[in-house]
Amino acid sequence: MNSRIVDLEIKTDGRGKLIPLEYPKQLSFPLQRIYYIYDVNNGIVRGRHSHRDLEQILIAVSGSLKVRIKTPFSEEIVTLNDPSKGLYVGPMIWREMLDFSDDAVLLVLASHEYDESDYIRDYEQYKNEADSYFESHKEQK
Ligand code: T46
């Protein structure tokens, strides 16, 4: 699938831990935007969309949350609860973020500026577009 957990290298010394994220050393795409999500109430599900081109890395820098990642062919739920693990999410992956702990802060590194026309928010529309996308990108299925 066009998503995977990425191990982020920790620089540890007697003062604590630091994780650098720099393109092209640790990041596979040049960064154009960051945002973070926090204060998400119990029972809330965010996301529920796909992106046509955007690549992102999601990191729970504090607390924990789950991410459901879906294509027309597969589905899995990934728990993010470790600031040294990133979830890379490539184009044409349906995502939903849920089960945020009270202290969860989800940091997102994005390859492009915010662009609403890159979002697919209707699941039927997503399935139609994803079928043709994965037909021509079989290696990402
Ligand atoms: C994604 C998941 C992981 C902006 O103005 N600029 C931004 O960069 C973003 C991301 C959002 N917004 C506005 C658009 C909406 O009015 O912030 C509001 C909430 O955005 P949205 O409902 O899209 O948030 P989520 O949590 O459902 O999804 C977000 C990202 O939008 C999305 O790209 O992959 O986090």
Side-chain angles (χ1 to χ4, degrees):
M1 210 205 264
N2 199 9
S3 65
R4 58 185 170 276
I5 289 288
V6 187
D7 288 316
L8 309 173
E9 190 189 340
I10 310 171
K11 310 283 182 183
T12 306
D13 60 28
R15 299 166 299 165
K17 299 184 195 304
L18 182 153
I19 297 180
L21 296 170
E22 181 180 325
Y23 171 80
K25 285 185 191 155
Q26 297 90 0
L27 293 177
S28 56
F29 54 82
L31 194 61
Q32 289 207 10
R33 176 168 54 110
I34 66 170
Y35 57 92
Y36 41 98
I37 297 172
Y38 62 102
D39 247 354
V40 179
N41 286 336
N42 213 350
I44 295 291
V45 180
R46 300 189 63 115
R48 292 197 163 118
H49 59 253
S50 169
H51 285 280
R52 294 187 171 91
D53 291 321
L54 190 70
E55 296 177 84
Q56 301 196 109
I57 294 179
L58 281 60
I59 304 167
V61 290
S62 165
S64 71
L65 64 126
K66 291 181 182 146
V67 186
R68 177 177 291 120
I69 41 182
K70 248 170 116 164
T71 69
F73 326 98
S74 59
E75 172 169 347
E76 71 183 284
I77 294 190
V78 176
T79 299
L80 296 180
N81 57 8
D82 179 343
S84 73
K85 307 274 180 207
L87 174 63
Y88 169 83
V89 184
M92 295 308 280
I93 302 284
W94 188 265
R95 83 284 319 264
E96 298 172 4
M97 299 89 76
L98 59 153
D99 285 354
F100 285 74
S101 62
D102 288 347
D103 58 347
V105 181
L106 173 62
L107 174 68
V108 184
L109 315 179
S111 62
H112 293 92
E113 294 168 7
Y114 178 70
D115 175 8
E116 187 56 39
S117 70
D118 188 61
Y119 284 72
I120 309 172
R121 295 189 183 272
D122 177 78
Y123 193 70
E124 288 307 308
Q125 170 75 21
Y126 164 71
K127 274 203 299 193
N128 290 336
E129 290 193 33
D131 281 337
S132 23
Y133 176 87
F134 287 109
E135 189 50 40
S136 51
H137 297 80
K138 288 197 168 103
E139 74 290 350
Q140 295 178 357
K141 215 165 173 178

